[in-house]
Amino acid sequence: MKETLLSLEHLSIDYKIKGGYLSAVNDVSMDIRQGEIFAVVGESGCGKSTVAHSVMRLLSGGNAKIEGKILFDGRDLMICSEKEMEAVRGKEIGMIFQNPLDSLNPVYTVGNQVGEAIMLDRVDKQEAMRRAIKLFQDVKMPDAQERADSFPHELSGGMRQRVMIAMMLSRDPRLLIADEPTTALDVTIEAQILEIIKELKEKRNTAILMITHNFGLVAEAADRIAVMYAGEVVESGDVFEIFENPMHPYTRLLMKALPRKTKREGRLETIDGSVPRILDKKPGCRFANRCPYAQELCRSRTPGETTVGETHRCRCFLVSGEHASSGKGA
C-alpha cells in the first residue's frame, strides 16, 4: 500500500453567523496516498471546497471554528504558524481554483506569472522563463512560447486552466488540490485537462485531491472516492467498488442522475429538494428529509460508519441492518 501523504482526522468546520453557527463540515476523516487521485464528490453546498480550502488554511473571514487534525506527511497543519504555511503553499501543496481568471493577475503576462513562481526557488529570470515555457509544453499549451507572452484575458478558459496547472507544477508539489478543475469547459477541453491530471499522477507520482460534482470525471480518473452530503462523508471506498455496488441512498440517486448512453435507458432522475443548511447539530441523518427510505430512526439518531468491504465504508442505517426494512419508509 502506498504511503499516506494527507490525513484528515475528525475535521469539523462551523461558520459563525448571526444567532449561532452554520455546520459546513462535520466529522470528516479521509486519507490521501502518494501517487493517487482521490475524488471528493457531491452537490454544490455539501462542503467539498470548504475541505479543500481548510487544507491550505485559506478559509476567509476569520469566523470559522475548526476542530480536528489536518496531517500532511505527519505534520499537523492546524498548528502551523502563517509563516510556516507560506512555505507549505505552492512548494508542498498546490491548488487549482475553480475560476483561473480570478487567480491570475490581469496586468502581467502568463509567462511572467509562472516564471515568478519559479523564481521563488532562487532561479534567475531567464532560466525561470525557459522553465515556464517548458511547463506550458508539458501541459499541452498550443504555441507555448507565443502564449507565454499573452495576458490572461487573451486566453481561452482551457488555456487559462493550463496556465494554472503549469503554475502549480512549477515548484513540484507533492500534493495538488484541484477544485472543480473542468467547470465551464467544453467536453473536449475537459477531456484534455483530465488527461493532464492523470499524467501528473503517472509521471510525477503527485497525489491529487480532486473536488468535483461530476461523477463522469470520477469514473474516468479517480482511484478512490468520498461522497459528501451536507458536510459529512456518507460513503467512501475504491472507485470501482463504489460504482459497482453503491450502498448509500444518496450515492445511488447520484448514480441514477448520470447521463445514459441511449434514450431506451430512461430519462435522467433527479433528487427532490436541496442540501440543507445545518444551523443546529441535532441527532439524525442529514439526508433523511430527501431519502426515499427514511424512517423515524433516521430522524432521531445519527448513523455510524459501517464497513462494507476492505476499503468500502458507508453511513446509513439501511446498510448497518438497523433499519426496519429495505422498503420505502415513512
Side-chain angles (χ1 to χ4, degrees):
M1 185 178 289
K2 295 179 180 178
E3 171 193 0
T4 296
L5 184 62
L6 178 71
S7 182
L8 307 184
E9 297 183 0
H10 305 290
L11 180 67
S12 292
I13 301 170
D14 300 321
Y15 289 114
K16 188 172 178 58
I17 59 174
K18 187 176 181 180
Y21 283 90
L22 172 68
S23 176
V25 174
N26 185 51
D27 195 26
V28 166
S29 296
M30 61 181 70
D31 295 326
I32 292 90
R33 301 169 190 152
Q34 188 72 52
E36 78 165 350
I37 299 178
F38 188 99
V40 179
V41 66
E43 292 172 89
S44 296
C46 73
K48 307 184 303 294
S49 293
T50 299
V51 168
H53 284 76
S54 69
V55 172
M56 296 290 280
R57 291 265 303 271
L58 291 176
L59 295 178
S60 60
N63 67 333
K65 183 175 71 172
I66 307 175
E67 297 175 347
K69 292 183 177 181
I70 302 173
L71 302 175
F72 179 74
D73 200 17
R75 180 186 185 188
D76 191 354
L77 300 183
M78 293 296 297
I79 60 175
C80 288
S81 66
E82 183 56 31
K83 187 174 182 179
E84 289 172 324
M85 280 305 301
E86 287 176 2
V88 171
R89 296 186 193 113
K91 182 64 177 173
E92 297 288 338
I93 306 175
M95 186 166 181
I96 304 169
F97 295 93
Q98 289 187 36
N99 187 352
L101 192 58
D102 291 343
S103 304
L104 294 169
N105 193 319
V107 301
Y108 293 101
T109 65
V110 293
N112 275 330
Q113 293 185 62
V114 175
E116 187 179 55
I118 296 170
M119 288 167 65
L120 290 172
D121 292 325
R122 298 179 182 178
V123 176
D124 66 64
K125 188 171 183 178
Q126 188 174 359
E127 174 64 13
M129 283 302 298
R130 188 192 69 78
R131 291 191 193 179
I133 293 169
K134 175 62 169 62
L135 282 166
F136 284 162
Q137 293 169 344
D138 289 346
V139 298
K140 300 178 175 58
M141 175 76 82
D143 304 316
Q145 187 139 7
E146 181 183 338
R147 296 302 178 189
D149 294 326
S150 300
F151 292 91
H153 71 273
E154 297 177 314
L155 303 179
S156 68
M159 288 180 181
R160 288 195 290 262
Q161 198 63 284
R162 284 173 167 80
V163 171
M164 287 304 303
I165 295 173
M167 188 180 294
M168 291 306 104
L169 294 181
S170 65
R171 306 190 70 196
D172 202 22
R174 298 170 66 193
L175 171 66
L176 183 64
I177 301 173
D179 187 2
E180 302 279 9
T182 60
T183 296
L185 300 180
D186 64 59
V187 291
T188 305
I189 303 302
E190 178 182 277
Q192 293 171 3
I193 297 296
L194 194 61
E195 196 59 37
I196 292 168
I197 290 173
K198 288 161 69 177
E199 283 185 13
L200 296 182
K201 167 196 161 184
E202 298 297 333
K203 295 182 178 179
R204 296 180 179 237
N205 199 35
T206 307
I208 299 167
L209 174 58
M210 186 164 68
I211 309 297
T212 183
H213 63 271
N214 188 334
F215 252 116
L217 289 184
V218 173
E220 181 69 26
D223 298 299
R224 291 189 299 133
I225 176 178
V227 180
M228 283 191 73
Y229 181 79
E232 297 181 341
V233 173
V234 296
E235 189 165 5
S236 62
D238 177 270
V239 68
F240 294 109
E241 202 169 349
I242 298 291
F243 271 81
E244 289 176 8
N245 187 30
M247 299 298 291
H248 197 281
Y250 179 60
T251 310
R252 292 180 186 175
L253 289 168
L254 285 178
M255 296 288 191
K256 289 180 179 178
L258 285 172
R260 304 293 190 268
K261 291 181 181 178
T262 66
K263 289 183 179 179
R264 290 182 181 178
E265 293 179 85
R267 294 175 61 86
L268 296 183
E269 294 195 24
T270 59
I271 307 174
D272 293 335
S274 58
V275 180
R277 283 166 54 91
I278 308 297
L279 302 176
D280 190 8
K281 291 185 180 181
K282 296 178 180 178
C285 173
R286 295 189 174 190
F287 188 58
N289 68 320
R290 302 174 73 188
C291 180
Y293 305 104
Q295 297 183 349
E296 190 53 41
L297 170 69
C298 307
R299 299 183 179 93
S300 60
R301 283 176 50 197
T302 301
E305 192 174 72
T306 300
T307 300
V308 180
E310 188 176 343
T311 66
H312 198 167
R313 308 284 185 273
C314 183
R315 290 180 179 271
C316 181
F317 290 121
L318 193 64
V319 177
S320 67
E322 297 177 71
H323 207 275
S325 70
S326 60
K328 184 177 278 193

